[in-house]
């Protein structure tokens, strides 16, 4: 029976965590540069299919690896085998390296009695080394959205449906694993991109040149990603529906059956692959609740909001560069005011008004050791005395008591959340109403018109090809899918705001909140 702690975790879990975290001790040790050089030598030998290394071998691989001075570990003073031995032993104690006895190196009986060890990477130790080197060699400024992965996802989903229908288990496993890796990379890239964009926005006021140098490429990158996401989202949702029609349980069973993680039971492997498929499905298929959207819709909305924020920031930076008010100009004006003050008192008054500083507060305190520093000694001669912040700001001595209550505007947050949910419900209701009938045979109200224009904006990105003819485009939003089809002549849609004329185009709106888009 497994023992559990008070927080519900098994008692063996903290011990396992401590053992795993101890693997990273070499990254913070005093000789961390030497440890990295030793592990880098093991990595170079591993790439050359040499697994077991003695201290002499490590010294040779260090010299060979540092000849080109590449990699995260810097080259330094050459290490001898005598110096490498203690490093290897410490890495073995941390669990990064595994140690085994090698008697083939003994040339005499005395050497045989002396223990000779060879070392190799432990599995967890190699992963810890890769994690550290990945952080050291990572370029934090690389941030992008995975636009070109969308057609690959569509092709893989169609391949997955075919493989599951034909019962090809190995093909199902490899395709599903590739889909999971692609979506994981897409989500990580999106999170990194928006984080980097937020850092760029926060630092633009100080260094606007970095923003102006990349604004065109940044806007084009986000606009192309948003248009491709709107174009591929309904196709990906339909492809997921085709995969589900072939049998989800059979799909998961085949993937788990080919999974090579033999240390996991079949139930654990099936649970893992079912969770992966559910995560993949929620990316492009909306839930059944009213107003619930999928991850692709939320990502597209975030991209459109980021484009609006970048355009607003561009306008502010441009106005500042044209001679508007900026921090630099404000400080120059303030410096001119200080120079123009007639008296020193006027300069002090201006300083107090600008920086909000009050008059000095005089305090009377006794030194803790009255015999050492008597009370009649001048402050000029006495050593500095620590003063509490409460006494300096309020003039009252600090007293122990309950902490101050945190002021939270829960009512305001609740009102904003309710307003946001109400707006989402209204858009969902308008989208559902829009899909109930032919849009060309009735008058659309204001909400339905707004939803239709959003769908047209998503679908119209592929209307004008470079050459050839566009057979039809699609766009999805708020649980409905708009299909734009070519037709002869012009069509008219009557809305509350007026007439919308479409040249050689006809619109079809259908609901897509179920498992797949209805056709």
């Amino acid at each position: 029976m497994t023992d559990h702690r008070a927080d519900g975790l098994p008692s063996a879990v903290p011990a396992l965590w401590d053992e795993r975290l101890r693997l990273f001790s070499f990254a913070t040790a005093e000789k961390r540069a030497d440890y990295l050089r030793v592990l880098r030598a093991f990595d170079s030998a591993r790439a050359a299919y040499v697994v077991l290394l003695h201290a002499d071998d490590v010294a040779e691989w260090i010299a060979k690896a540092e000849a080109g001075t590449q990699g995260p570990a810097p080259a330094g003073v050459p290490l001898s085998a005598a110096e490498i031995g203690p490093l290897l032993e410490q890495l073995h104690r941390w669990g990064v390296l595994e140690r085994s006895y090698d008697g083939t190196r003994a040339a005499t009986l005395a050497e045989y009695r002396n223990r000779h060890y060879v070392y190799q990477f432990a599995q967890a130790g190699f992963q810890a080394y890769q994690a550290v080197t990945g952080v050291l060699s990572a370029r934090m400024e690389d941030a992008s959205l995975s636009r070109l992965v969308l057609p690959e996802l569509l092709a893989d989903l169609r391949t997955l449906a075919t493989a599951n229908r034909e019962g090809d288990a190995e093909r199902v496993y490899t395709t599903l694993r590739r889909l999971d890796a692609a979506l994981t990379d897409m989500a990580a890239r999106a999170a990194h991109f928006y984080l980097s964009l937020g850092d760029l926005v926060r630092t633009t006021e100080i260094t606007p040149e970095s923003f102006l140098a990349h604004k065109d490429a940044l806007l084009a990158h986000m606009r192309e990603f948003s248009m491709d996401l709107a174009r591929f989202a309904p196709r990906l949702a339909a492809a997921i529906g085709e995969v589900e029609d072939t049998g989800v349980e059979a799909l998961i069973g085949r993937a788990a059956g080919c999974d090579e993680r033999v240390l996991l039971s079949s139930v654990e492997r099936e649970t893992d692959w079912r969770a992966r498929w559910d995560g993949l499905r929620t990316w492009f298929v909306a839930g059944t609740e009213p107003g619930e959207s999928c991850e692709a819709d939320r990502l597209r909305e975030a991209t459109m909001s980021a484009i609006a924020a970048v355009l607003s920031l561009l306008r502010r930076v441009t106005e500042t560069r044209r001679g508007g008010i900026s921090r630099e100009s404000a400080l120059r004006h303030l410096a001119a005011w200080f120079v123009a003050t007639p008296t020193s008192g006027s300069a002090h008054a201006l300083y107090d008004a600008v920086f909000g500083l009050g008059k000095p507060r005089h305090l009377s305190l006794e030194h803790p050791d009255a015999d050492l520093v008597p009370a009649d000694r001048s402050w000029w001669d006495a050593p500095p005395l620590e003063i509490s912040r409460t006494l300096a700001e309020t003039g009252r001595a600090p007293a122990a008591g309950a902490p101050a209550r945190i002021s939270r505007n829960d009512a305001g947050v609740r009102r904003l959340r309710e307003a946001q949910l109400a707006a989402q419900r209204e858009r969902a209701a308008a989208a559902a109403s829009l899909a109930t009938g032919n849009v060309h045979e009735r008058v659309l109200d204001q909400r339905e018109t707004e939803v239709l224009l959003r769908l047209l904006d998503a679908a119209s990105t592929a209307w004008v090809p470079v050459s050839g003819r566009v057979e039809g485009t699609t766009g999805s939003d708020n649980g409905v899918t708009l299909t734009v089809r070519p037709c002869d002549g012009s069509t008219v849609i009557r809305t509350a705001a007026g007439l919308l004329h479409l040249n050689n185009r006809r619109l079809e709106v259908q609901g897509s909140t179920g498992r797949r888009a209805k056709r």
Side-chain angles (χ1 to χ4, degrees):
M1 183 175 180
T2 304
D3 295 333
H4 288 74
R5 303 189 312 166
D7 54 6
L9 292 174
S11 57
V13 171
L16 178 62
W17 288 351
D18 292 339
E19 182 181 353
R20 296 287 175 84
L21 292 176
R22 194 174 47 152
L23 295 170
F24 295 92
S25 300
F26 71 90
T28 57
E30 182 179 357
K31 298 182 179 180
R32 51 186 173 273
D34 292 338
Y35 287 125
L36 283 173
R37 295 169 66 189
V38 169
L39 294 178
R40 182 187 173 200
F42 274 92
D43 190 33
S44 301
R46 182 188 180 100
Y49 306 104
V50 178
V51 179
L52 299 173
L53 294 180
H54 190 265
D56 296 330
D57 302 329
V58 174
E60 295 177 1
W61 277 101
I62 288 177
K64 187 184 303 184
E66 292 180 353
T69 63
Q70 69 237 13
V77 179
L79 294 175
S80 63
E83 295 172 329
I84 293 174
L87 300 178
L88 295 174
E89 282 298 311
Q90 184 60 53
L91 288 171
H92 169 65
R93 285 193 290 268
W94 285 331
V96 182
L97 298 178
E98 291 181 352
R99 185 182 67 180
S100 58
Y101 179 68
D102 183 16
T104 61
R105 294 180 176 270
T108 63
L109 181 59
E111 290 183 359
Y112 183 80
R113 290 173 178 174
N114 294 328
R115 295 195 292 181
H116 291 266
Y117 289 107
V118 289
Y119 300 84
Q120 64 177 335
F121 263 124
Q123 182 178 1
F126 180 66
Q127 294 179 358
Y129 167 74
Q130 283 187 317
V132 172
T133 54
V135 172
L136 293 178
S137 60
R139 296 183 58 185
M140 299 305 177
E141 66 274 12
D142 288 342
S144 61
L145 296 170
S146 305
R147 178 176 65 90
L148 300 179
V149 77
L150 296 174
E152 296 179 1
L153 291 175
L154 182 60
D156 285 340
L157 283 172
R158 290 171 177 171
T159 302
L160 183 63
T162 303
N164 196 37
R165 190 180 297 110
E166 296 175 354
D168 191 345
E170 293 184 359
R171 197 175 172 192
V172 167
Y173 169 71
T174 56
T175 307
L176 189 56
R177 186 177 62 177
R178 188 166 58 247
L179 280 168
D180 178 68
L183 274 179
T184 302
D185 179 71
M186 180 177 175
R189 283 177 176 267
H192 185 198
F193 178 80
Y194 290 119
L195 180 62
S196 301
L197 184 62
D199 294 338
L200 178 64
V201 170
R202 285 192 295 270
T203 58
T204 299
E205 185 178 359
I206 302 174
T207 57
E209 292 82 4
S210 62
F211 171 73
L212 295 175
H214 305 288
K215 62 179 178 62
D216 293 332
L218 182 64
L219 289 172
H221 182 65
M222 289 191 295
R223 186 168 56 249
E224 291 174 357
F225 176 77
S226 177
M227 290 187 294
D228 284 356
L229 187 60
R231 209 165 43 235
F232 278 97
R235 303 180 191 177
L236 291 168
I240 289 175
E242 294 176 4
V243 174
E244 291 182 337
D245 290 342
T246 62
V248 177
E249 293 301 324
L251 176 78
I252 295 173
R254 292 187 177 105
C258 294
D259 196 338
E260 297 177 344
R261 294 176 294 179
V262 295
L263 297 181
L264 298 180
S265 64
S266 58
V267 176
E268 291 174 335
R269 292 198 295 267
E270 289 182 1
T271 302
D272 179 56
W273 283 108
R274 184 175 290 104
R276 296 190 189 191
W277 173 254
D278 291 340
L280 188 151
R281 185 181 184 278
T282 55
W283 256 93
F284 301 104
V285 179
T288 57
E289 297 295 330
E292 186 176 356
S293 58
C294 59
E295 291 294 331
D297 291 339
R298 285 192 284 268
L299 182 58
R300 180 170 172 268
E301 291 178 0
T303 305
M304 299 302 294
S305 301
I307 291 176
V310 170
L311 291 175
S312 176
L313 182 61
L314 175 61
R315 182 173 60 253
R316 293 198 303 269
V317 171
T318 305
E319 291 175 353
T320 301
R321 288 307 178 101
R322 288 177 180 176
I325 299 176
S326 64
R327 179 176 297 180
E328 180 181 358
S329 62
L331 290 176
R332 289 182 180 275
H333 281 83
L334 180 60
W337 290 349
F338 275 110
V339 173
T341 52
T343 62
S344 177
S346 300
H348 283 290
L350 177 61
Y351 186 88
D352 293 341
V354 171
F355 296 103
L357 299 178
K359 296 181 179 179
R361 184 184 298 274
H362 295 281
L363 306 172
S364 177
L365 293 176
E366 293 184 358
H367 197 276
D369 192 348
D371 297 334
L372 181 63
V373 181
D376 57 352
R377 180 172 297 180
S378 172
W379 281 22
W380 295 104
D381 302 328
L385 188 63
E386 293 185 1
I387 299 175
S388 66
R389 184 174 180 178
T390 303
L391 182 61
E393 292 180 351
T394 64
R396 297 189 302 270
R405 184 178 181 181
I406 298 177
S407 178
R408 294 179 179 175
N409 190 4
D410 294 334
V413 173
R414 186 168 54 254
R415 286 195 301 270
L416 291 175
R417 180 58 178 166
E418 291 175 353
Q420 182 183 19
L421 293 176
Q424 292 179 356
R425 286 193 294 268
E426 290 179 0
R427 285 198 302 268
S433 175
L434 186 66
T436 55
N438 194 334
V439 295
H440 295 278
E441 297 178 356
R442 56 194 179 97
V443 179
L444 306 182
D445 59 21
Q446 184 65 30
R447 287 289 185 180
E448 292 175 338
T449 304
E450 293 177 1
V451 175
L452 181 65
L453 293 179
R454 288 170 61 96
L455 293 171
L456 278 174
D457 179 63
S460 62
T461 56
W463 278 14
V464 184
V466 178
S467 63
R469 176 180 177 84
V470 177
E471 295 299 332
T473 58
T474 59
S476 64
D477 194 7
N478 290 295
V480 295
T481 300
L482 170 69
T483 304
V484 183
R485 303 188 185 279
C487 68
D488 296 331
S490 301
T491 58
V492 178
I493 297 178
R494 297 186 298 276
T495 69
L499 299 179
L500 175 63
H501 295 271
L502 300 174
N503 188 21
N504 297 327
R505 291 288 185 268
R506 184 174 182 82
L507 306 183
E508 296 179 4
V509 181
Q510 296 175 326
S512 59
T513 57
R515 289 173 52 197
R516 55 180 298 185
K518 298 180 181 178
R519 297 188 178 276

